[in-house]
Coordinates of all heavy atoms in Angstrom, one line a residue:
M1 N 14.1 -44.6 -26.5 CA 13.7 -44.0 -25.2 C 14.1 -42.5 -25.2 O 13.3 -41.7 -24.6 CB 14.3 -44.7 -24.0 CG 13.8 -44.3 -22.7 SD 12.1 -44.6 -22.6 CE 11.7 -43.9 -21.0
R2 N 15.2 -42.2 -25.8 CA 15.6 -40.8 -25.8 C 14.6 -39.9 -26.5 O 14.3 -38.8 -26.1 CB 17.0 -40.7 -26.4 CG 17.6 -39.3 -26.4 CD 19.0 -39.3 -26.9 NE 19.5 -37.9 -26.8 CZ 20.7 -37.6 -27.1 NH1 21.5 -38.5 -27.4 NH2 21.1 -36.3 -26.9
G3 N 14.1 -40.4 -27.6 CA 13.0 -39.6 -28.3 C 11.8 -39.4 -27.5 O 11.1 -38.3 -27.6
G4 N 11.5 -40.3 -26.6 CA 10.3 -40.1 -25.7 C 10.5 -39.0 -24.7 O 9.6 -38.2 -24.5
W5 N 11.7 -38.8 -24.2 CA 12.0 -37.7 -23.3 C 11.9 -36.4 -24.0 O 11.5 -35.4 -23.5 CB 13.4 -37.9 -22.6 CG 13.3 -38.9 -21.5 CD1 13.8 -40.1 -21.4 CD2 12.6 -38.7 -20.2 NE1 13.5 -40.7 -20.3 CE2 12.8 -39.8 -19.5 CE3 11.9 -37.6 -19.7 CZ2 12.3 -40.0 -18.2 CZ3 11.4 -37.8 -18.4 CH2 11.5 -39.0 -17.7
I6 N 12.4 -36.3 -25.2 CA 12.4 -35.1 -26.0 C 10.9 -34.7 -26.2 O 10.6 -33.5 -26.1 CB 13.2 -35.3 -27.3 CG1 14.7 -35.4 -27.0 CG2 12.9 -34.1 -28.3 CD1 15.5 -35.7 -28.2
L7 N 10.1 -35.7 -26.5 CA 8.7 -35.4 -26.7 C 8.0 -34.9 -25.4 O 7.3 -33.9 -25.5 CB 7.9 -36.7 -27.2 CG 6.4 -36.5 -27.4 CD1 6.2 -35.5 -28.5 CD2 5.8 -37.9 -27.7
V8 N 8.4 -35.4 -24.3 CA 7.8 -35.0 -23.0 C 8.3 -33.6 -22.7 O 7.5 -32.7 -22.3 CB 8.2 -36.0 -21.9 CG1 7.9 -35.4 -20.5 CG2 7.6 -37.3 -22.0
I9 N 9.6 -33.3 -22.9 CA 10.1 -32.0 -22.6 C 9.5 -30.9 -23.5 O 9.1 -29.8 -23.1 CB 11.6 -32.0 -22.7 CG1 12.2 -32.8 -21.5 CG2 12.2 -30.6 -22.6 CD1 13.7 -33.1 -21.6
T10 N 9.4 -31.2 -24.8 CA 8.8 -30.3 -25.8 C 7.3 -30.0 -25.4 O 6.8 -28.9 -25.5 CB 8.9 -30.9 -27.2 OG1 10.3 -31.2 -27.5 CG2 8.3 -29.9 -28.2
T11 N 6.6 -31.1 -25.1 CA 5.2 -30.9 -24.7 C 5.0 -30.0 -23.5 O 4.2 -29.1 -23.5 CB 4.5 -32.3 -24.5 OG1 4.7 -33.1 -25.6 CG2 3.0 -32.1 -24.1
V12 N 5.8 -30.3 -22.4 CA 5.7 -29.5 -21.2 C 6.1 -28.0 -21.6 O 5.4 -27.1 -21.1 CB 6.7 -30.0 -20.1 CG1 6.8 -29.0 -19.0 CG2 6.1 -31.4 -19.6
G13 N 7.1 -27.8 -22.4 CA 7.5 -26.4 -22.8 C 6.4 -25.7 -23.5 O 6.1 -24.6 -23.2
L14 N 5.7 -26.4 -24.4 CA 4.6 -25.8 -25.1 C 3.4 -25.5 -24.2 O 2.7 -24.5 -24.4 CB 4.1 -26.7 -26.3 CG 5.1 -26.9 -27.4 CD1 4.6 -27.9 -28.4 CD2 5.3 -25.5 -28.1
L15 N 3.2 -26.3 -23.2 CA 2.1 -26.0 -22.3 C 2.4 -24.8 -21.4 O 1.5 -24.1 -20.9 CB 1.9 -27.2 -21.4 CG 1.3 -28.4 -22.0 CD1 1.3 -29.6 -21.1 CD2 -0.1 -28.1 -22.6
L16 N 3.7 -24.5 -21.2 CA 4.1 -23.3 -20.3 C 4.1 -22.0 -21.1 O 4.1 -20.9 -20.5 CB 5.5 -23.6 -19.7 CG 5.5 -24.6 -18.7 CD1 7.0 -24.8 -18.2 CD2 4.6 -24.3 -17.5
I17 N 4.1 -22.0 -22.4 CA 4.2 -20.8 -23.2 C 3.2 -19.8 -22.9 O 3.5 -18.6 -22.7 CB 4.2 -21.1 -24.7 CG1 5.6 -21.7 -25.1 CG2 4.0 -19.9 -25.6 CD1 5.7 -22.2 -26.5
P18 N 1.9 -20.1 -22.7 CA 0.9 -19.1 -22.3 C 1.2 -18.4 -21.0 O 0.7 -17.3 -20.8 CB -0.4 -19.9 -22.3 CG -0.2 -21.1 -23.0 CD 1.3 -21.4 -22.9
W19 N 1.9 -19.0 -20.1 CA 2.2 -18.4 -18.8 C 3.4 -17.4 -18.9 O 3.5 -16.6 -18.0 CB 2.5 -19.5 -17.8 CG 1.3 -20.3 -17.5 CD1 0.9 -21.5 -18.1 CD2 0.2 -19.9 -16.7 NE1 -0.3 -21.9 -17.6 CE2 -0.8 -21.0 -16.8 CE3 -0.1 -18.8 -15.9 CZ2 -2.0 -20.9 -16.1 CZ3 -1.3 -18.8 -15.1 CH2 -2.2 -19.9 -15.3
I20 N 4.3 -17.6 -19.8 CA 5.5 -16.8 -19.9 C 5.2 -15.3 -19.9 O 5.7 -14.5 -19.2 CB 6.4 -17.2 -21.0 CG1 7.0 -18.6 -20.6 CG2 7.6 -16.2 -21.2 CD1 7.7 -19.3 -21.8
P21 N 4.3 -14.8 -20.8 CA 4.0 -13.3 -20.8 C 3.5 -12.8 -19.5 O 3.7 -11.7 -19.1 CB 3.0 -13.2 -21.9 CG 3.2 -14.3 -22.8 CD 3.6 -15.5 -21.9
A22 N 2.7 -13.6 -18.8 CA 2.2 -13.2 -17.5 C 3.3 -12.9 -16.5 O 3.1 -12.0 -15.6 CB 1.2 -14.2 -17.0
W23 N 4.4 -13.6 -16.5 CA 5.4 -13.4 -15.6 C 6.2 -12.1 -15.9 O 6.6 -11.4 -15.0 CB 6.4 -14.6 -15.6 CG 5.8 -15.8 -15.1 CD1 4.8 -16.0 -14.2 CD2 6.2 -17.2 -15.4 NE1 4.6 -17.3 -14.0 CE2 5.4 -18.0 -14.7 CE3 7.2 -17.7 -16.3 CZ2 5.5 -19.4 -14.8 CZ3 7.3 -19.0 -16.4 CH2 6.5 -19.9 -15.7
G24 N 6.4 -11.8 -17.1 CA 7.2 -10.7 -17.5 C 6.5 -9.5 -17.9 O 7.0 -8.5 -18.3
N25 N 5.2 -9.5 -17.7 CA 4.3 -8.4 -18.2 C 3.9 -7.5 -17.0 O 2.7 -7.2 -16.9 CB 3.1 -9.0 -18.9 CG 2.4 -8.0 -19.7 OD1 2.9 -7.0 -20.1 ND2 1.1 -8.3 -20.1
E26 N 4.8 -7.1 -16.2 CA 4.5 -6.2 -15.1 C 5.3 -4.9 -15.3 O 6.4 -4.9 -15.8 CB 4.8 -6.9 -13.8 CG 3.9 -8.0 -13.5 CD 4.0 -8.5 -12.1 OE1 4.9 -8.2 -11.4 OE2 3.0 -9.2 -11.7
Q27 N 4.7 -3.8 -14.9 CA 5.3 -2.5 -15.0 C 5.5 -1.9 -13.7 O 4.5 -1.8 -12.9 CB 4.3 -1.7 -15.9 CG 4.6 -0.2 -15.9 CD 3.5 0.6 -16.5 OE1 2.6 0.0 -17.1 NE2 3.6 1.9 -16.5
P28 N 6.7 -1.5 -13.3 CA 6.9 -0.8 -12.1 C 6.7 0.8 -12.2 O 7.0 1.3 -13.3 CB 8.4 -1.0 -11.8 CG 9.0 -1.2 -13.1 CD 8.0 -1.8 -14.0
V29 N 6.1 1.4 -11.2 CA 5.9 2.8 -11.2 C 6.5 3.3 -9.8 O 6.2 2.7 -8.8 CB 4.4 3.2 -11.3 CG1 4.2 4.7 -11.1 CG2 3.8 2.7 -12.6
T30 N 7.4 4.3 -9.9 CA 8.0 4.8 -8.7 C 7.3 6.1 -8.3 O 7.2 7.0 -9.2 CB 9.5 5.0 -8.9 OG1 10.1 3.7 -9.3 CG2 10.2 5.5 -7.7
L31 N 7.0 6.3 -7.1 CA 6.4 7.5 -6.6 C 7.2 8.0 -5.4 O 7.6 7.2 -4.5 CB 5.0 7.3 -6.1 CG 4.0 6.8 -7.2 CD1 3.7 5.3 -7.0 CD2 2.8 7.6 -7.2
K32 N 7.5 9.3 -5.4 CA 8.2 9.9 -4.2 C 7.1 10.3 -3.2 O 6.1 10.9 -3.5 CB 8.9 11.2 -4.7 CG 9.7 11.9 -3.6 CD 10.5 13.0 -4.1 CE 11.3 13.8 -3.1 NZ 12.0 13.0 -2.1
L33 N 7.4 9.9 -2.0 CA 6.5 10.1 -0.9 C 6.8 11.4 -0.1 O 8.0 11.7 0.0 CB 6.5 8.9 0.1 CG 6.0 7.6 -0.4 CD1 6.2 6.5 0.7 CD2 4.6 7.7 -0.9
G34 N 5.8 12.1 0.3 CA 5.9 13.3 1.1 C 4.7 13.4 1.9 O 3.8 12.6 2.0
G35 N 4.7 14.5 2.7 CA 3.5 14.7 3.6 C 4.0 14.6 5.0 O 4.9 13.9 5.3
K36 N 3.2 15.3 5.9 CA 3.6 15.3 7.3 C 3.4 13.9 7.9 O 2.3 13.3 8.0 CB 2.6 16.3 8.0 CG 3.0 16.5 9.4 CD 2.1 17.6 10.0 CE 2.5 17.9 11.4 NZ 1.6 18.9 12.0
F37 N 4.5 13.3 8.4 CA 4.6 12.0 9.0 C 4.2 10.8 8.2 O 3.9 9.8 8.7 CB 3.8 12.0 10.3 CG 4.1 13.1 11.3 CD1 3.2 14.1 11.7 CD2 5.4 13.2 11.8 CE1 3.6 15.1 12.6 CE2 5.8 14.2 12.7 CZ 4.8 15.2 13.1
C38 N 4.1 11.0 6.9 CA 3.7 9.9 6.0 C 4.5 8.7 6.1 O 4.0 7.6 6.1 CB 3.7 10.4 4.5 SG 3.1 9.2 3.4
D39 N 5.8 8.9 6.3 CA 6.7 7.7 6.4 C 6.4 6.8 7.6 O 6.8 5.7 7.7 CB 8.2 8.2 6.5 CG 8.5 9.1 7.6 OD1 7.6 9.9 8.1 OD2 9.6 9.2 8.1
L40 N 5.6 7.3 8.6 CA 5.2 6.5 9.7 C 4.0 5.7 9.4 O 3.6 4.8 10.2 CB 5.0 7.4 10.9 CG 6.2 8.2 11.4 CD1 5.8 9.1 12.6 CD2 7.3 7.3 11.8
Y41 N 3.3 5.9 8.3 CA 2.1 5.3 8.0 C 2.1 4.4 6.7 O 1.2 4.4 5.9 CB 0.9 6.3 7.9 CG 0.7 7.0 9.3 CD1 1.3 8.1 9.6 CD2 -0.2 6.4 10.2 CE1 1.1 8.7 10.9 CE2 -0.4 6.9 11.4 CZ 0.3 8.1 11.8 OH 0.1 8.7 13.0
K42 N 3.2 3.7 6.6 CA 3.4 2.9 5.3 C 2.4 1.8 5.2 O 2.0 1.5 4.1 CB 4.8 2.3 5.3 CG 5.9 3.4 5.1 CD 7.3 2.8 5.1 CE 8.3 3.9 4.9 NZ 9.6 3.5 5.1
D43 N 1.9 1.3 6.3 CA 0.8 0.2 6.2 C -0.4 0.8 5.6 O -1.1 0.2 4.8 CB 0.5 -0.4 7.5 CG 1.6 -1.3 8.1 OD1 2.5 -1.7 7.2 OD2 1.7 -1.5 9.3
A44 N -0.8 2.1 5.9 CA -2.0 2.7 5.4 C -1.8 3.0 3.9 O -2.7 2.8 3.1 CB -2.3 4.0 6.1
V45 N -0.6 3.4 3.5 CA -0.2 3.7 2.1 C -0.3 2.4 1.3 O -0.9 2.4 0.2 CB 1.1 4.3 2.0 CG1 1.6 4.4 0.5 CG2 1.2 5.7 2.6
K46 N 0.3 1.4 1.9 CA 0.2 0.1 1.2 C -1.2 -0.4 1.0 O -1.6 -0.9 -0.1 CB 1.0 -1.0 1.9 CG 1.1 -2.3 1.3 CD 2.0 -3.3 2.0 CE 2.1 -4.6 1.3 NZ 3.0 -5.5 2.0
A47 N -2.0 -0.3 2.0 CA -3.4 -0.8 1.9 C -4.2 0.0 0.8 O -4.9 -0.5 0.0 CB -4.1 -0.6 3.2
A48 N -3.9 1.3 0.8 CA -4.6 2.2 -0.2 C -4.1 1.8 -1.7 O -4.9 1.7 -2.6 CB -4.3 3.7 0.0
L49 N -2.8 1.5 -1.8 CA -2.3 1.2 -3.1 C -2.8 -0.2 -3.6 O -3.1 -0.4 -4.8 CB -0.8 1.2 -3.1 CG -0.2 2.6 -3.1 CD1 1.3 2.5 -2.8 CD2 -0.4 3.3 -4.4
L50 N -2.9 -1.1 -2.7 CA -3.4 -2.5 -3.1 C -4.9 -2.5 -3.5 O -5.3 -3.4 -4.1 CB -3.2 -3.5 -1.9 CG -1.7 -3.8 -1.7 CD1 -1.5 -4.7 -0.4 CD2 -1.1 -4.6 -2.9
K51 N -5.6 -1.4 -3.2 CA -7.0 -1.3 -3.6 C -7.1 -0.8 -5.1 O -8.2 -0.9 -5.7 CB -7.8 -0.4 -2.7 CG -8.0 -0.9 -1.3 CD -8.7 0.1 -0.5 CE -8.9 -0.4 1.0 NZ -9.5 0.5 1.8
V52 N -6.0 -0.3 -5.6 CA -6.0 0.3 -7.0 C -6.0 -0.9 -8.0 O -5.2 -1.8 -7.8 CB -4.8 1.2 -7.2 CG1 -4.8 1.7 -8.7 CG2 -4.9 2.4 -6.3
E53 N -6.8 -0.8 -9.0 CA -6.9 -1.9 -10.0 C -5.6 -2.1 -10.6 O -4.9 -1.2 -11.0 CB -8.0 -1.6 -11.0 CG -8.2 -2.6 -12.0 CD -9.2 -2.3 -13.1 OE1 -9.9 -1.2 -12.9 OE2 -9.4 -3.1 -14.0
G54 N -5.2 -3.4 -10.7 CA -3.9 -3.8 -11.4 C -2.7 -3.9 -10.6 O -1.7 -4.4 -11.0
V55 N -2.8 -3.3 -9.3 CA -1.6 -3.4 -8.4 C -1.4 -4.8 -7.9 O -2.3 -5.4 -7.4 CB -1.7 -2.4 -7.3 CG1 -0.6 -2.6 -6.2 CG2 -1.8 -1.0 -7.8
R56 N -0.1 -5.3 -8.1 CA 0.2 -6.6 -7.6 C 1.2 -6.6 -6.4 O 1.2 -7.5 -5.6 CB 0.8 -7.4 -8.7 CG -0.2 -7.7 -9.8 CD 0.3 -8.6 -10.8 NE -0.7 -8.8 -11.8 CZ -0.5 -9.2 -13.1 NH1 0.8 -9.5 -13.5 NH2 -1.5 -9.4 -13.9
A57 N 2.1 -5.5 -6.4 CA 3.1 -5.5 -5.3 C 3.4 -4.1 -5.0 O 3.4 -3.2 -5.8 CB 4.4 -6.2 -5.7
V58 N 3.8 -3.8 -3.7 CA 4.1 -2.5 -3.2 C 5.5 -2.7 -2.4 O 5.6 -3.5 -1.5 CB 3.1 -2.0 -2.2 CG1 3.5 -0.6 -1.6 CG2 1.7 -1.9 -3.0
D59 N 6.5 -1.9 -2.8 CA 7.8 -2.0 -2.2 C 8.3 -0.7 -1.7 O 8.5 0.3 -2.5 CB 8.8 -2.6 -3.3 CG 10.2 -2.6 -2.8 OD1 10.5 -2.7 -1.6 OD2 11.1 -2.6 -3.7
F60 N 8.6 -0.6 -0.4 CA 9.2 0.6 0.2 C 10.7 0.5 0.4 O 11.3 1.5 0.7 CB 8.5 0.9 1.6 CG 7.1 1.2 1.5 CD1 6.1 0.3 1.8 CD2 6.7 2.5 1.2 CE1 4.8 0.6 1.7 CE2 5.3 2.8 1.2 CZ 4.4 1.8 1.4
R61 N 11.3 -0.6 0.2 CA 12.7 -0.9 0.5 C 13.6 -0.5 -0.7 O 14.8 -0.2 -0.4 CB 12.9 -2.3 0.8 CG 12.2 -2.7 2.1 CD 12.5 -4.1 2.5 NE 11.5 -4.6 3.4 CZ 11.2 -5.9 3.6 NH1 11.8 -6.8 2.8 NH2 10.3 -6.2 4.4
S62 N 13.2 -0.5 -1.9 CA 14.1 -0.3 -3.0 C 14.7 1.0 -3.1 O 15.9 1.2 -3.5 CB 13.4 -0.6 -4.3 OG 13.0 -2.0 -4.4
K63 N 14.0 2.0 -2.7 CA 14.5 3.4 -2.8 C 13.9 4.2 -1.6 O 12.7 4.4 -1.5 CB 14.0 4.0 -4.1 CG 14.7 5.3 -4.5 CD 14.3 5.6 -6.0 CE 15.1 6.9 -6.4 NZ 14.7 7.3 -7.7
K64 N 14.8 4.8 -0.8 CA 14.4 5.5 0.4 C 13.5 6.7 0.0 O 13.9 7.5 -0.9 CB 15.6 5.9 1.2 CG 15.3 6.6 2.5 CD 16.5 6.9 3.3 CE 16.0 7.6 4.5 NZ 16.9 7.5 5.6
G65 N 12.4 6.9 0.8 CA 11.5 8.0 0.5 C 10.6 7.8 -0.7 O 9.9 8.7 -1.0
H66 N 10.6 6.6 -1.2 CA 9.8 6.3 -2.4 C 9.1 5.0 -2.2 O 9.4 4.2 -1.3 CB 10.7 6.2 -3.6 CG 11.4 7.4 -4.1 ND1 12.5 7.9 -3.3 CD2 11.2 8.2 -5.1 CE1 12.9 9.0 -3.9 NE2 12.1 9.2 -5.0
V67 N 8.1 4.8 -3.0 CA 7.4 3.5 -3.1 C 7.4 3.0 -4.5 O 7.2 3.9 -5.5 CB 6.0 3.6 -2.5 CG1 5.1 4.5 -3.3 CG2 5.3 2.2 -2.5
V68 N 7.8 1.8 -4.8 CA 7.7 1.2 -6.1 C 6.6 0.3 -6.2 O 6.5 -0.7 -5.4 CB 9.1 0.4 -6.4 CG1 9.0 -0.2 -7.8 CG2 10.3 1.4 -6.3
V69 N 5.6 0.6 -7.1 CA 4.4 -0.2 -7.2 C 4.5 -1.0 -8.5 O 4.8 -0.4 -9.6 CB 3.2 0.7 -7.2 CG1 1.9 -0.1 -7.3 CG2 3.2 1.6 -6.0
T70 N 4.3 -2.3 -8.4 CA 4.3 -3.1 -9.6 C 3.0 -3.7 -9.9 O 2.2 -4.1 -9.0 CB 5.3 -4.3 -9.4 OG1 6.6 -3.8 -9.0 CG2 5.5 -5.1 -10.6
G71 N 2.6 -3.7 -11.2 CA 1.3 -4.2 -11.6 C 1.2 -4.4 -13.1 O 2.2 -4.2 -13.8
K72 N 0.0 -4.7 -13.5 CA -0.3 -5.0 -14.9 C -0.5 -3.7 -15.7 O -1.3 -2.8 -15.3 CB -1.6 -5.7 -14.9 CG -2.0 -6.2 -16.3 CD -3.2 -7.1 -16.2 CE -3.6 -7.5 -17.6 NZ -4.9 -8.2 -17.6
P73 N 0.4 -3.5 -16.7 CA 0.3 -2.3 -17.5 C -1.1 -2.2 -18.2 O -1.7 -3.2 -18.5 CB 1.3 -2.5 -18.6 CG 2.1 -3.7 -18.2 CD 1.4 -4.4 -17.2
G74 N -1.6 -1.0 -18.3 CA -2.9 -0.8 -18.9 C -4.0 -0.7 -17.8 O -4.9 0.1 -17.9
D75 N -3.9 -1.5 -16.8 CA -4.8 -1.5 -15.7 C -4.4 -0.6 -14.6 O -5.2 0.1 -14.0 CB -5.0 -2.9 -15.1 CG -5.8 -3.9 -16.0 OD1 -6.4 -3.4 -16.9 OD2 -5.7 -5.1 -15.7
M76 N -3.1 -0.5 -14.3 CA -2.6 0.3 -13.2 C -2.1 1.6 -13.8 O -1.1 1.7 -14.5 CB -1.3 -0.5 -12.6 CG -0.8 0.2 -11.4 SD 0.6 -0.7 -10.7 CE 1.9 -0.2 -11.9
K77 N -2.9 2.6 -13.5 CA -2.6 4.0 -14.0 C -1.8 4.8 -12.9 O -2.3 4.8 -11.7 CB -3.9 4.7 -14.3 CG -4.9 4.0 -15.2 CD -4.5 4.2 -16.6 CE -5.6 3.6 -17.5 NZ -5.1 2.7 -18.5
P78 N -0.7 5.4 -13.3 CA 0.1 6.2 -12.3 C -0.8 7.3 -11.6 O -0.6 7.5 -10.4 CB 1.2 6.8 -13.2 CG 1.4 5.9 -14.3 CD 0.0 5.4 -14.6
G79 N -1.7 7.9 -12.3 CA -2.5 9.0 -11.7 C -3.4 8.4 -10.6 O -3.6 9.1 -9.5
R80 N -3.9 7.2 -10.8 CA -4.7 6.5 -9.7 C -3.8 6.2 -8.5 O -4.3 6.2 -7.4 CB -5.4 5.3 -10.3 CG -6.5 5.6 -11.2 CD -7.2 4.4 -11.7 NE -8.2 4.7 -12.7 CZ -8.7 3.8 -13.5 NH1 -8.3 2.5 -13.4 NH2 -9.6 4.2 -14.4
L81 N -2.6 5.8 -8.7 CA -1.7 5.5 -7.6 C -1.4 6.8 -6.8 O -1.5 6.7 -5.6 CB -0.4 5.0 -8.2 CG -0.4 3.7 -9.0 CD1 0.9 3.3 -9.5 CD2 -1.0 2.5 -8.1
K82 N -1.2 7.9 -7.5 CA -1.0 9.2 -6.8 C -2.2 9.6 -6.0 O -2.1 9.9 -4.9 CB -0.6 10.3 -7.8 CG -0.4 11.6 -7.2 CD -0.2 12.7 -8.2 CE 0.0 14.1 -7.7 NZ -0.5 14.4 -6.4
D83 N -3.4 9.4 -6.6 CA -4.6 9.8 -5.9 C -4.8 8.9 -4.7 O -5.3 9.4 -3.7 CB -5.8 9.7 -6.9 CG -5.8 10.7 -8.0 OD1 -5.1 11.7 -7.9 OD2 -6.6 10.5 -9.0
A84 N -4.5 7.6 -4.8 CA -4.6 6.7 -3.6 C -3.8 7.2 -2.5 O -4.2 7.2 -1.3 CB -4.3 5.3 -4.0
I85 N -2.5 7.5 -2.8 CA -1.6 8.0 -1.7 C -2.0 9.3 -1.2 O -2.0 9.5 0.0 CB -0.1 8.0 -2.2 CG1 0.3 6.6 -2.6 CG2 0.8 8.7 -1.2 CD1 1.7 6.6 -3.3
D86 N -2.4 10.2 -2.0 CA -2.8 11.6 -1.6 C -4.1 11.5 -0.7 O -4.3 12.4 0.1 CB -3.1 12.5 -2.8 CG -1.9 12.9 -3.6 OD1 -0.8 12.6 -3.1 OD2 -2.0 13.4 -4.7
G87 N -4.8 10.4 -0.8 CA -6.0 10.3 0.0 C -5.8 9.7 1.4 O -6.7 9.6 2.2
V88 N -4.5 9.3 1.7 CA -4.2 8.7 3.0 C -3.9 9.8 3.9 O -2.9 10.6 3.8 CB -3.0 7.7 2.8 CG1 -2.6 7.2 4.2 CG2 -3.3 6.6 1.9
K89 N -4.7 9.9 5.0 CA -4.5 11.0 6.0 C -5.2 10.6 7.3 O -6.0 9.7 7.3 CB -4.9 12.3 5.4 CG -6.4 12.4 5.0 CD -6.7 13.7 4.3 CE -7.1 13.5 2.9 NZ -7.1 14.6 2.1
G90 N -4.8 11.3 8.3 CA -5.4 11.1 9.6 C -5.3 12.4 10.4 O -5.0 13.4 9.9
D91 N -5.5 12.3 11.7 CA -5.4 13.4 12.6 C -4.0 13.9 12.7 O -3.1 13.3 13.3 CB -5.9 13.0 14.0 CG -7.3 13.5 14.3 OD1 -7.8 14.3 13.5 OD2 -7.8 13.3 15.4
G92 N -3.7 15.1 12.1 CA -2.4 15.7 12.2 C -1.3 15.1 11.2 O -0.2 15.5 11.3
W93 N -1.7 14.2 10.3 CA -0.7 13.7 9.4 C -1.4 13.5 8.0 O -2.7 13.4 7.9 CB -0.1 12.4 9.9 CG -1.1 11.3 10.0 CD1 -1.9 11.0 11.1 CD2 -1.4 10.3 9.0 NE1 -2.6 9.9 10.8 CE2 -2.4 9.4 9.6 CE3 -1.0 10.0 7.7 CZ2 -2.9 8.3 8.9 CZ3 -1.5 8.9 7.0 CH2 -2.4 8.1 7.6
Y94 N -0.6 13.4 7.0 CA -1.2 13.2 5.6 C 0.0 12.7 4.7 O 1.2 12.8 5.1 CB -1.8 14.5 5.0 CG -0.8 15.6 4.8 CD1 -0.1 15.8 3.6 CD2 -0.5 16.5 5.9 CE1 0.8 16.8 3.4 CE2 0.5 17.5 5.7 CZ 1.1 17.6 4.5 OH 2.0 18.6 4.3
C95 N -0.4 12.1 3.6 CA 0.6 11.6 2.6 C 0.3 12.3 1.3 O -0.9 12.6 1.0 CB 0.5 10.1 2.5 SG 1.0 9.2 3.9
E96 N 1.4 12.5 0.5 CA 1.2 12.9 -0.8 C 2.3 12.3 -1.7 O 3.3 11.8 -1.1 CB 1.4 14.5 -0.9 CG 2.7 15.0 -0.3 CD 2.7 16.5 -0.2 OE1 1.6 17.2 -0.3 OE2 3.8 17.1 -0.1
A97 N 2.0 12.2 -3.0 CA 3.0 11.5 -3.8 C 3.2 12.3 -5.1 O 2.4 13.0 -5.6 CB 2.4 10.1 -4.2
K98 N 4.4 12.0 -5.7 CA 4.7 12.5 -7.0 C 5.2 11.4 -7.8 O 6.2 10.7 -7.4 CB 5.8 13.6 -6.9 CG 6.2 14.2 -8.2 CD 7.3 15.2 -8.0 CE 7.7 15.7 -9.4 NZ 8.9 16.6 -9.3
V99 N 4.7 11.2 -9.0 CA 5.1 10.1 -9.9 C 6.5 10.5 -10.5 O 6.6 11.6 -11.1 CB 4.1 9.8 -11.0 CG1 4.6 8.7 -12.0 CG2 2.7 9.4 -10.5
V100 N 7.5 9.6 -10.3 CA 8.8 9.9 -10.8 C 9.3 8.9 -11.8 O 10.4 9.1 -12.4 CB 9.8 10.1 -9.7 CG1 9.5 11.3 -8.8 CG2 9.9 8.9 -8.8
G101 N 8.6 7.9 -12.0 CA 9.0 6.9 -13.0 C 8.2 5.7 -13.0 O 7.3 5.4 -12.3

């Protein structure tokens, strides 16, 4: 019976192998936020970033005054993230970003 369990565990492990790279294959990009009153419009910044191809997560909590964007390398280009943030603006306010990492 012990050999049967080893076979089951090995089979399940082999079935999970294709999923392992997907979990660890994300790249964080950190952008410094600036602009008049931008810090008050984080929802608008997040919405703009989530429209960028490859973006999976947006985090404002990790580093004050910054946003950490996580996504699929190759699809998520730092320049596109910057452009998305720079395009967020309204009456009397605007956002701008600088890629820092």
Side-chain angles (χ1 to χ4, degrees):
M1 186 64 183
R2 185 175 181 172
W5 281 109
I6 292 173
L7 179 62
V8 169
I9 292 169
T10 304
T11 302
V12 169
L14 289 173
L15 291 173
L16 291 175
I17 286 175
W19 294 96
I20 293 171
W23 293 333
N25 196 18
E26 292 193 343
Q27 168 189 352
V29 175
T30 303
L31 299 107
K32 182 172 177 48
L33 295 176
K36 187 174 181 182
F37 305 119
C38 183
D39 58 332
L40 300 176
Y41 294 92
K42 290 180 180 170
D43 288 340
V45 171
K46 182 176 182 176
L49 288 169
L50 288 172
K51 291 178 184 176
V52 176
E53 183 179 354
V55 171
R56 293 187 181 157
V58 176
D59 173 27
F60 294 99
R61 295 184 198 154
S62 294
K63 194 171 182 183
K64 186 175 177 156
H66 295 72
V67 60
V68 179
V69 184
T70 306
K72 186 176 176 186
D75 288 347
M76 187 181 74
K77 308 276 189 234
R80 289 184 185 162
L81 300 175
K82 180 188 178 335
D83 291 345
I85 294 172
D86 290 350
V88 177
K89 56 186 120 197
D91 255 357
W93 65 274
Y94 64 93
C95 293
E96 56 189 17
K98 178 181 177 186
V99 178
V100 294

